[in-house]
C-alpha cells in the first residue's frame, strides 16, 4: 500500500510540476514587472480571450469536453471581474457559487465528446448549475437555521485559523470551497489523469481569481491557464500515440522514433512470452492481459541502460544504446530469471466450454502459475547497419532460443 501511495504521489508530481511552475512563473513576472504587464494587457485586452479560444479549439479537436468547459468558465470569470461586473453582494456570491459548482461538476464528470446527446447533457448541467448558484444556494444559505447549524460550524475553524479569509470569502463561499476541495482530493485518488490534475490546478487558480480584484493579475492567470490547457491536451495526445495503452510502456511508434536518435553502436533484444497463445486459450484473454502487463513491468525494470518497448502482441523489444551484446547479457539473464521465478496468482473465474459438450477451460481461481520468456540479441555492425536488418537478426536469434527449448537467451552470430 505504501508503494502504491508513493507511486501515486510521484505521478501527481510528474503531471502537475510543469503546469504549476508555469503558473507560479507568470504570477512572479506580474509582481516583478507590474507596469510592463499592465501596459501589455492595456494594449492587448483581447489576448486572454484569444488564448482561451485557441485552448478550447485544441481541446475540442481532441475530444476533451471538460477542458472546453473549463475554458468557458475562465472566460466567464474574465467577463465578470470589476469594472465589468456590478459590485452587488448577491451577484458576487452567485458568480462565485456558479464557478465553484461548475468546477466541482467538471472534476466529477468524464470527457464525453461532442455528440448532440452529450451537448444537450452539458447544457442541462450548465442550466442546473446556474439555477443552483443564482437561486437555490442564496436562498438556502441565507436561512438562519442553515447559517447557525451548517454554514458556521463547517467554516468557523478556518476563519479562526486564518482570520484574513473574511476579506476574501463569505462563510457560504468557504463551505462551497471545502466541498469542492473534498471532491478534488477524492477524484485525484480515483482518477489521476493529466486532465484531472489540470482541473484541480485550475480550481486552485480560480480561488485566487475569485478573491483578487486585480484585473491584470486575473488576465495573466487566465492566459497562463489557457496555455496549460493546451499543454495538457497535447501531452495526453502524445502519451496516447507513444505509450502502449495496455502495458503502459512505450509502444512500437515510440521505438521507431527512438531509432532516429541512436548512434553507431547499440544492441537490440527481441523478447517473446513462451506459449502465450496456449495460455490465452486456457485461462482467457483477461488473464492474458494481466500477464502482458506483468511481463512489461518486469522488462521496464531492466538494468544496464536498457529501455523496454511493446512491439506487438506478446513481443517486446529491449534497446541498449552504446552497448555490446557481451555487456547486456547479464542484465537480460537477470530479467529472464525475474520473469520465470515470479509466481502469478490467477483470480479470474473459469471460462465456459466453447462448444456444447466440450471440455471447460481450466479454472484460474486460486491457481499459481509461472510464465517464461525467450530472448534474441543482436547488435548493429558493419554487416547489419540498417535497423530493420538488426531487428531481423534479433528475430532469428529469438527463433533459435525457441528452438533450444525456450526460457533462454540466444545471441545472433
Amino acid at each position: 500500500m505504501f508503494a502504491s501511495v508513493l507511486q501515486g504521489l510521484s505521478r501527481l508530481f510528474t503531471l502537475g510540476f510543469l503546469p504549476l511552475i508555469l503558473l507560479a512563473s507568470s504570477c512572479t513576472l506580474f509582481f516583478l514587472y507590474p507596469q510592463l504587464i499592465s501596459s501589455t494587457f492595456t494594449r492587448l485586452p483581447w489576448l486572454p480571450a484569444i488564448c482561451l479560444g485557441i485552448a478550447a479549439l485544441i481541446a475540442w479537436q481532441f475530444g476533451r469536453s471538460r477542458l472546453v468547459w473549463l475554458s468557458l468558465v475562465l472566460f466567464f470569470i474574465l467577463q465578470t471581474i470589476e469594472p465589468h461586473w456590478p459590485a452587488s453582494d448577491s451577484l458576487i456570491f452567485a458568480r462565485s457559487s456558479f464557478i465553484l459548482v461548475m468546477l466541482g461538476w467538471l472534476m466529477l464528470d468524464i470527457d464525453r465528446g461532442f455528440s448532440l446527446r452529450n451537448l444537450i447533457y452539458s447544457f442541462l448541467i450548465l442550466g442546473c448549475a446556474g439555477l443552483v448558484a443564482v437561486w437555490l444556494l442564496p436562498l438556502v444559505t441565507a436561512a438562519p437555521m442553515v447559517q447557525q447549524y451548517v454554514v458556521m460550524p463547517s467554516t468557523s475553524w478556518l476563519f479562526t485559523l486564518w482570520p484574513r479569509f473574511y476579506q476574501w470569502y463569505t462563510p457560504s463561499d468557504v463551505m462551497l470551497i471545502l466541498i469542492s476541495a473534498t471532491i478534488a482530493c477524492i477524484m485525484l485518488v480515483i482518477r489521476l489523469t493529466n486532465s484531472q490534475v489540470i482541473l484541480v490546478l485550475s480550481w486552485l487558480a480560480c480561488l485566487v481569481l475569485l478573491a483578487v480584484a486585480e484585473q491584470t493579475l486575473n488576465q495573466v492567470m487566465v492566459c497562463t491557464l489557457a496555455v496549460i490547457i493546451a499543454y495538457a491536451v497535447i501531452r495526453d495526445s502524445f502519451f496516447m500515440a507513444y505509450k502502449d495503452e495496455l502495458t503502459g510502456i512505450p509502444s512500437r511508434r515510440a521505438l521507431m522514433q527512438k531509432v532516429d536518435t541512436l548512434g553507431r553502436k547499440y544492441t537490440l533484444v527481441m523478447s517473446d512470452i513462451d506459449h502465450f497463445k496456449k495460455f490465452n486459450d486456457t485461462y482467457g484473454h483477461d488473464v492474458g492481459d494481466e500477464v502482458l502487463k506483468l511481463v512489461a513491468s518486469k522488462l521496464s525494470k531492466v538494468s544496464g541502460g536498457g529501455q523496454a518497448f511493446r512491439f506487438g502482441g506478446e513481443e517486446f523489444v529491449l534497446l541498449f544504446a552504446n552497448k555490446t551484446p557481451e555487456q547486456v547479457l547479464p542484465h537480460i539473464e537477470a530479467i529472464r530469471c525475474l520473469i520465470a521465478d515470479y509466481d502469478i496468482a490467477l483470480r479470474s473465474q473459469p471460462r465456459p466450454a466453447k462448444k456444447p459438450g466440450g471440455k471447460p477451460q481450466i479454472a484460474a481461481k486460486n491457481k499459481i502459475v509461472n510464465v517464461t520468456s525467450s530472448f534474441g540479441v543482436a547488435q548493429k555492425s558493419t554487416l547489419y547497419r540498417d535497423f530493420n536488418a538488426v531487428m531481423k537478426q534479433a528475430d532469428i536469434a529469438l527463433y533459435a532460443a525457441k528452438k533450444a527449448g525456450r526460457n533462454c537467451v540466444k545471441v545472433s552470430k
Side-chain angles (χ1 to χ4, degrees):
M1 181 179 178
F2 183 69
S4 52
V5 170
L6 282 179
Q7 186 179 4
L9 290 175
S10 174
R11 178 169 169 77
L12 178 61
F13 177 79
T14 302
L15 294 176
F17 177 73
L18 184 56
L20 191 60
I21 289 296
L22 286 174
L23 198 58
S25 300
S26 63
C27 293
T28 303
L29 285 174
F30 169 77
F31 288 110
L32 288 177
Y33 307 102
Q35 293 182 347
L36 177 63
I37 301 295
S38 179
S39 62
T40 300
F41 282 101
T42 301
R43 292 194 302 269
L44 305 172
W46 39 263
L47 183 60
I50 294 295
C51 291
L52 285 175
I54 293 172
L57 283 174
I58 293 174
W60 181 289
Q61 182 68 29
F62 288 92
R64 297 293 187 268
S65 57
R66 293 190 299 166
L67 297 182
V68 173
W69 282 106
L70 175 61
S71 302
L72 295 176
V73 169
L74 295 174
F75 182 75
F76 174 78
I77 293 175
L78 274 181
Q79 300 307 308
T80 55
I81 57 177
E82 294 185 1
H84 310 296
W85 188 259
S88 165
D89 290 342
S90 59
L91 286 176
I92 291 173
F93 175 67
R95 167 183 176 255
S96 59
S97 301
F98 175 77
I99 292 168
L100 291 170
V101 168
M102 284 294 294
L103 290 173
W105 165 61
L106 291 176
M107 287 187 286
L108 281 171
D109 202 17
I110 59 173
D111 288 310
R112 298 179 178 274
F114 298 100
S115 66
L116 179 61
R117 178 181 178 182
N118 292 334
L119 285 175
I120 292 173
Y121 165 82
S122 299
F123 278 113
L124 285 175
I125 292 293
L126 180 66
C128 291
L131 186 66
V132 167
V134 175
W135 176 73
L136 186 60
L137 280 175
L139 183 66
V140 171
T141 55
M145 295 287 288
V146 175
Q147 284 283 336
Q148 182 179 356
Y149 294 107
V150 179
V151 177
M152 294 308 297
S154 62
T155 60
S156 58
W157 64 272
L158 187 55
F159 288 113
T160 303
L161 186 66
W162 197 355
R164 290 192 65 184
F165 251 67
Y166 274 119
Q167 301 176 13
W168 302 325
Y169 306 107
T170 66
S172 301
D173 288 334
V174 173
M175 185 180 68
L176 287 175
I177 291 170
L178 292 175
I179 292 172
S180 56
T182 304
I183 292 172
C185 294
I186 292 173
M187 294 312 297
L188 279 179
V189 173
I190 296 175
R191 191 194 303 152
L192 185 52
T193 63
N194 202 30
S195 295
Q196 199 70 34
V197 171
I198 299 305
L199 283 166
V200 173
L201 185 61
S202 300
W203 168 76
L204 290 171
C206 284
L207 296 185
V208 178
L209 295 177
L210 292 174
V212 178
E214 174 58 53
Q215 183 177 0
T216 305
L217 178 59
N218 288 356
Q219 291 173 321
V220 170
M221 293 187 70
V222 166
C223 284
T224 308
L225 288 172
V227 173
I228 290 172
I229 290 170
Y231 160 79
V233 176
I234 294 170
R235 180 185 173 93
D236 274 346
S237 303
F238 174 84
F239 276 100
M240 286 178 65
Y242 291 95
K243 287 283 187 180
D244 180 63
E245 185 177 0
L246 176 64
T247 61
I249 65 173
S251 65
R252 183 171 181 169
R253 181 175 294 177
L255 170 65
M256 302 316 293
Q257 185 189 48
K258 180 73 174 178
V259 169
D260 296 332
T261 66
L262 293 174
R264 296 182 177 181
K265 184 173 73 172
Y266 61 85
T267 294
L268 186 144
V269 182
M270 289 286 292
S271 174
D272 186 279
I273 302 175
D274 298 328
H275 302 296
F276 185 71
K277 185 179 184 303
K278 182 179 178 181
F279 190 93
N280 256 350
D281 292 339
T282 303
Y283 299 110
H285 290 283
D286 291 340
V287 178
D289 288 347
E290 293 302 315
V291 170
L292 283 173
K293 288 191 281 188
L294 169 70
V295 172
S297 70
K298 301 300 180 187
L299 291 173
S300 65
K301 297 175 183 176
V302 64
S303 55
Q307 186 175 1
F309 301 85
R310 187 182 180 192
F311 193 70
E314 68 272 23
E315 290 185 326
F316 298 88
V317 168
L318 296 173
L319 203 56
F320 294 83
N322 299 313
K323 291 289 194 301
T324 62
E326 291 75 17
Q327 291 173 316
V328 306
L329 277 176
H331 306 289
I332 300 302
E333 186 63 27
I335 285 293
R336 184 195 65 78
C337 294
L338 183 65
I339 294 172
D341 295 341
Y342 190 85
D343 293 331
I344 305 172
L346 303 178
R347 297 184 178 87
S348 65
Q349 297 297 323
R351 299 177 70 194
K354 291 184 178 180
K355 297 180 181 179
K359 184 179 178 181
Q361 293 175 314
I362 297 174
K365 190 174 182 181
N366 300 324
K367 183 177 178 65
I368 303 297
V369 298
N370 298 90
V371 294
T372 61
S373 290
S374 301
F375 297 85
V377 183
Q379 68 171 333
K380 182 179 180 181
S381 64
T382 54
L383 187 59
Y384 303 106
R385 296 177 180 273
D386 183 66
F387 180 79
N388 290 328
V390 180
M391 283 276 298
K392 179 67 175 176
Q393 292 304 306
D395 194 51
I396 292 172
L398 175 61
Y399 179 75
K402 296 281 188 181
K403 201 171 180 180
R406 295 180 170 83
N407 191 25
C408 62
V409 182
K410 291 293 182 180
V411 181
S412 172
K413 295 181 181 179

